[in-house]
Amino acid sequence: MTRMTESTYDGMRQETGIPDLTGILSDDLRNKPASKREARQKGCPDYRGLLHMGLNENAFGMAPSAKKAAIDAAMKGNYYEDFMSRDLKKQIAETLHVNPEGIMTGAGSSPLIEYLGQAFLNPGDEVLMCRTFYAFVDMAQMRSAKEVIVPLTKDYRYNLPGMLSAVTEKTKMAVITNPNNPTGQYVSYDEIRNFIEALPKNIVVVVDEAYIQFATAPDCRTVLPLIDEFPDHPIIVLRTFSKYYGMAGLRAGFLVTQPAILDWLDAVSESETSLTAQAAAEAALKEQDYYRDCKRKIVEGIDYITRELTALGCDVFPTQTNFIMFDPHEDPQVIRQKLIERGILIATPMFCRVTVGTMDDNRAFIACMKDILKELRKAA
């Protein structure tokens, strides 16, 4: 047998071109539709240098102690992290009053979502959801499962009654993002509890609470207590440090579930969280006063942007997050492009969605919106 040398391979590639890979890819990957997440596109534009008001980051950043913890940990970056994230899990358990034996950490919530697909979904299974974070669609499609997307209610809330009506014998998982992305709307604790109680016990319930700490409505509450209340019903609650805790670039997240379920999830992947992310996340959880102050400033920003956009004739949707969805009554893509030309990035998943920033950021955004809307309406 002739050994394939690097030069031989290079010559073959130049002569025949890159071979067709479809024959060696998995069926799941070959049949998966392209992701709709912009960050997953090969041609994703380079938005560095713009004022980011479209990715729902915390503009006020990490607590000083969390920054210091990350820097100190980075100085030991030649060593591996604690693969079990023991100290971080202990701090999560103490902060949220949950069983540490039911916690799994990861590099943000996105890989944890992928692990759920690997753990629970088979080809042909159905995953119930409303319009929400596209990572859940990717999770289903990567396992050749079928995403069943139930329309939102007329006021853009998660449609739990509609999801119940859509349950079939093939339903394996039900996903609720609360508060929801991209709408900012929420469903109450009691609504979710009643939904789970009515759901067959062989359906996995995944509740993504990426934005729950920003909520101000009294009935917009974490469903973590339901994990213990319904021990015979598989419930998984997702959290991230990217949003409220200002750690988007460090990549840290976790899920909480029944310990028996975690035993199986641990078999899926090592689910590693970096040394710096563990240190920063543990420190951040101890700085609740700092983050409460950040939240106060964000709520002030929500009030300001809502008031100003409404005065400009936009329809502004209520929010329990750090972002605002609004209808400018103009083409959202045109609005987005004109803002980019002025140095500001927003998102357009449905209408327009703007992240609340510092008050200087918010004022800059409103000033641009005034100019853009005046320009478009004058042209019309």
Side-chain angles (χ1 to χ4, degrees), residues 185-254:
Q185 303 275 42
Y186 78 102
V187 285
S188 70
Y189 178 92
D190 287 341
E191 287 177 288
I192 297 177
R193 186 192 179 283
N194 293 339
F195 172 81
I196 293 174
E197 195 168 37
L199 207 63
K201 293 180 180 179
N202 62 340
I203 295 177
V204 180
V205 179
V206 178
V207 183
D208 185 353
E209 295 187 340
Y211 299 94
I212 195 73
Q213 292 107 322
F214 292 111
T216 56
D219 57 346
C220 184
R221 309 198 321 263
T222 180
V223 296
L224 284 170
L226 299 182
I227 294 173
D228 292 331
E229 184 176 344
F230 296 103
D232 55 349
H233 203 138
I235 300 172
I236 298 165
V237 178
L238 288 162
R239 290 285 188 94
T240 180
F241 286 92
S242 297
K243 311 300 183 183
Y244 187 77
Y245 290 105
M247 291 175 51
L250 290 186
R251 312 308 301 133
F254 62 97

Side-chain angles (χ1 to χ4, degrees), residues 22-309:
T22 56
I24 61 174
L25 297 175
S26 71
D27 291 342
D28 290 336
L29 181 57
R30 187 172 62 250
N31 296 327
K32 182 188 180 300
S35 174
K36 293 184 179 181
R37 284 187 282 174
E38 185 176 58
R40 298 295 184 269
Q41 308 304 314
K42 250 187 175 180
C44 179
D46 185 352
Y47 293 128
R48 290 175 296 180
L50 296 176
L51 172 58
H52 279 204
M53 299 184 75
L55 301 175
N56 305 336
E57 298 143 319
N58 182 342
F60 299 99
M62 290 186 286
S65 63
K67 291 180 183 179
K68 183 179 184 304
I71 293 170
D72 291 346
M75 301 303 293
K76 303 175 184 178
N78 54 312
Y79 296 105
Y80 285 112
E81 75 279 10
D82 172 15
F83 297 120
M84 300 303 295
S85 300
R86 293 174 180 86
D87 291 340
L88 176 55
K89 289 178 181 178
K90 180 181 177 183
Q91 190 60 51
I92 292 170
E94 291 177 358
T95 302
L96 298 181
H97 309 291
V98 296
N99 185 349
E101 299 300 317
I103 300 171
M104 181 181 197
T105 63
S109 56
S110 290
L112 295 175
I113 292 171
E114 292 298 326
Y115 299 155
L116 297 182
Q118 294 177 49
F120 294 109
L121 299 181
N122 293 310
D125 285 342
E126 293 180 351
V127 182
L128 280 177
M129 65 186 84
C130 291
R131 171 67 188 274
T132 191
F133 185 34
Y134 275 120
F136 291 106
V137 175
D138 287 341
M139 171 200 69
Q141 292 177 343
M142 191 59 229
R143 307 306 299 174
S144 294
K146 179 183 179 183
E147 73 278 13
V148 179
I149 301 180
V150 175
L152 297 166
T153 63
K154 291 182 179 179
D155 55 353
Y156 299 99
R157 297 174 71 244
Y158 230 85
N159 188 354
L160 297 184
M163 288 176 62
L164 275 177
S165 298
V167 170
T168 72
E169 292 182 354
K170 295 183 178 180
T171 303
K172 176 67 72 70
M173 183 182 292
V175 174
I176 305 169
T177 304
N178 196 50
N180 194 18
N181 178 15
T183 67
Q185 303 275 42
Y186 78 102
V187 285
S188 70
Y189 178 92
D190 287 341
E191 287 177 288
I192 297 177
R193 186 192 179 283
N194 293 339
F195 172 81
I196 293 174
E197 195 168 37
L199 207 63
K201 293 180 180 179
N202 62 340
I203 295 177
V204 180
V205 179
V206 178
V207 183
D208 185 353
E209 295 187 340
Y211 299 94
I212 195 73
Q213 292 107 322
F214 292 111
T216 56
D219 57 346
C220 184
R221 309 198 321 263
T222 180
V223 296
L224 284 170
L226 299 182
I227 294 173
D228 292 331
E229 184 176 344
F230 296 103
D232 55 349
H233 203 138
I235 300 172
I236 298 165
V237 178
L238 288 162
R239 290 285 188 94
T240 180
F241 286 92
S242 297
K243 311 300 183 183
Y244 187 77
Y245 290 105
M247 291 175 51
L250 290 186
R251 312 308 301 133
F254 62 97
L255 62 78
V256 184
T257 187
Q258 290 96 343
I261 293 177
L262 197 70
D263 288 343
W264 286 102
L265 290 177
D266 280 338
V268 173
S269 172
E270 293 179 354
S271 180
E272 295 182 10
T273 309
S274 74
L275 186 70
T276 52
Q278 285 187 41
E282 184 185 347
L285 287 169
K286 299 175 183 178
E287 294 286 359
Q288 295 303 315
D289 287 343
Y290 171 85
Y291 289 104
R292 276 191 287 267
D293 189 54
C294 291
K295 178 177 177 177
R296 178 187 60 78
K297 296 173 184 176
I298 289 168
V299 171
E300 289 176 355
I302 289 171
D303 292 342
Y304 168 76
I305 292 176
T306 299
R307 184 171 62 252
E308 294 294 325
L309 287 178

